[in-house]
Amino acid sequence: MVMSKIEILYTKAESNSEFVLLYKQPSVLVGRTDVVSVTPWLAPIVWVKTFDPTLINFIYKQQNITIATTVFALGKYTRFLKDFLESAEQYYFVGFRVHYYLFTDQPEAVPDVKLSEEHQLTVRKVPSMDRWQDISMGRMGILEKLTKSELDNDTDYIFCLDVDTKFYGPWGAETLGRLVGVIHPWFYDYKRTKFQYERRPESQAFIPVEEGDYYYTAAAFGGTVQEVYKLTKTCREQQSIDAAKSIEAIWHEESHLNKYLLYNKPSKLLSPEYLWRHIDIRRKHVKMIRLSHVAKNNAEVRLNN
Ligand code: UD2
């Protein structure tokens, strides 16, 4: 049989009435070589053309999974919700069960976006806060509570995403894993000594200059519900210890996330395709932009500076 494009055929074989699965043969010799697609601890780093999306989505489809997805929009950040949700409906886990949990201080400002049949949205009201840093860090405690006991029983995986983002390409089952980190779009080609980890030993987020694997973004992370519970609980606890000592890590919860992922290695890493700088910025290794930050004027959109 000649296949003009990669396709999955799930049919009854004529010979023995067993089901067969047909798709392009994988190769051990031919594949993408311009980027590294595995970590030193053998976790995949996901880039376009290192996997077959049709095949992966097909495999996970059999498992009837649900993916919780959290997003926070407080203060003026509610303005990002429309683009975020509309673009997610176009590209994010299309055909899979997704339950968005949207945390906001203004439920009345949540736009009415038409969701596909498999996707649902729950809006949860949270108190307003005065400092954007507290909003950003406070997410860890709210996510800890959510993942501990407040999710639907059938939830398998969860992703936690920044709201000032927009999808431009498919984000599917290739991103699923036990503990998933996303490589930060600004630092992926930096030496570890230049990563903006917290360098003050007094902080719980401290990472010595000679340590570090990658610099991960806090704008997107995920995994199984149990793993994300452990991650968010630890980060919340570490932030509280710092607060009691009047220390705030350089990049807030992102610094604590980086500390956690250094000593609790992610089982899968997503390349900067999965959280890019801006749709108009291009770099040769990033051949597809799936989710990107949108431009924002921090001074105008934040409550404080
Ligand atoms: C970086 C991180 C972000 C977070 C922050 C902490 C990247 C790409 N992003 O982004 O994840 O770690 O640094 O320093 O690494 N929010 C509101 N209302 C506000 C302020 C924030 O809802 O008034 C929420 C919202 O979901 C937003 C998130 O908090 O997406 C992070 O805030 P940010 O996007 O302003 O942080 P930023 O761009 O410095």
Side-chain angles (χ1 to χ4, degrees):
M1 171 182 283
V2 178
M3 284 187 286
S4 54
K5 61 182 170 74
I6 296 172
E7 58 182 331
I8 303 293
L9 298 179
Y10 194 49
T11 58
K12 260 188 172 181
E14 285 171 10
S15 54
N16 56 10
S17 82
E18 291 294 315
F19 284 102
V20 294
L21 187 57
L22 301 179
Y23 53 90
K24 189 180 170 197
Q25 181 185 350
S27 169
V28 291
L29 301 177
V30 178
R32 196 161 164 188
T33 54
D34 61 329
V35 288
V36 175
S37 58
V38 66
T39 68
W41 60 93
L42 295 179
I45 305 176
V46 183
W47 300 87
V48 69
K49 293 195 189 303
T50 61
F51 64 96
D52 178 345
T54 316
L55 175 57
I56 292 197
N57 284 334
F58 178 85
I59 293 167
Y60 278 90
K61 251 340 210 346
Q62 312 308 305
Q63 300 177 18
N64 200 21
I65 54 172
T66 298
I67 305 115
T69 301
T70 63
V71 64
F72 288 71
L74 285 81
K76 292 184 181 173
Y77 282 56
T78 52
R79 69 177 61 170
F80 299 114
L81 277 170
K82 189 164 187 293
D83 272 0
F84 174 86
L85 286 170
E86 282 181 354
S87 64
E89 281 307 288
Q90 201 179 342
Y91 291 115
Y92 184 71
F93 283 109
V94 174
F96 285 87
R97 254 201 325 272
V98 169
H99 192 157
Y100 302 102
Y101 291 85
L102 196 172
F103 297 91
T104 180
D105 54 352
Q106 307 146 74
E108 66 287 357
V110 175
D112 192 13
V113 172
K114 188 172 164 20
L115 303 182
S116 68
E117 214 177 287
E118 304 85 4
H119 292 193
Q120 63 169 311
L121 173 75
T122 298
V123 178
R124 295 226 172 144
K125 186 161 185 190
V126 289
S128 305
M129 286 184 199
D130 294 338
R131 295 172 71 237
W132 71 268
Q133 297 91 334
D134 290 334
I135 295 174
S136 200
M137 288 192 290
R139 293 183 293 179
M140 288 298 180
I142 293 171
L143 295 174
E144 175 191 354
K145 273 182 69 195
L146 183 79
T147 48
K148 186 174 183 188
S149 56
E150 296 173 3
L151 288 170
D152 297 337
N153 282 337
D154 62 351
T155 307
D156 302 283
Y157 297 97
I158 178 165
F159 276 105
C160 311
L161 305 176
D162 268 15
V163 73
D164 52 328
T165 58
K166 186 172 169 183
F167 289 87
Y168 294 94
W171 177 312
E174 76 280 3
T175 61
L176 297 172
R178 185 180 56 78
L179 180 60
V180 182
V182 181
I183 297 172
H184 198 290
W186 289 101
F187 306 114
Y188 64 93
D189 52 356
Y190 278 39
K191 290 197 183 312
R192 55 155 68 117
T193 51
K194 300 283 182 212
F195 287 161
Q196 294 196 3
Y197 291 150
E198 175 55 60
R199 300 300 190 187
R200 292 169 297 172
E202 309 85 81
S203 169
Q204 297 298 307
F206 170 64
I207 296 177
V209 81
E210 64 278 8
E211 288 191 55
D213 302 312
Y214 309 93
Y215 187 86
Y216 301 98
T217 176
F221 59 89
T224 59
V225 175
Q226 199 192 5
E227 286 294 329
V228 173
Y229 168 65
K230 285 196 273 184
L231 180 156
T232 51
K233 178 174 188 288
T234 306
C235 290
R236 193 265 308 154
E237 286 170 351
Q238 304 291 61
Q239 289 173 183
S240 304
I241 296 171
D242 273 10
K245 292 194 282 185
S246 301
I247 288 196
E248 193 166 86
I250 177 170
W251 287 111
H252 316 101
E253 81 291 350
E254 189 167 88
S255 307
H256 293 279
L257 175 84
N258 272 278
K259 174 77 173 274
Y260 185 87
L261 293 179
L262 175 59
Y263 298 118
N264 301 272
K265 304 288 190 213
S267 62
K268 185 175 274 186
L269 278 69
L270 306 183
S271 70
E273 292 170 12
Y274 290 85
L275 196 272
W276 187 237
R277 303 170 186 185
H278 187 274
I279 188 63
D280 295 336
I281 301 177
R282 297 283 164 162
R283 289 292 179 274
K284 77 171 178 198
H285 296 117
V286 180
K287 299 190 187 306
M288 177 182 270
I289 297 173
R290 301 166 187 278
L291 176 67
S292 178
H293 265 282
V294 295
K296 72 179 190 298
N297 176 349
N298 285 338
E300 193 267 321
V301 84
R302 286 174 173 166
L303 307 161
N304 60 305
N305 284 299

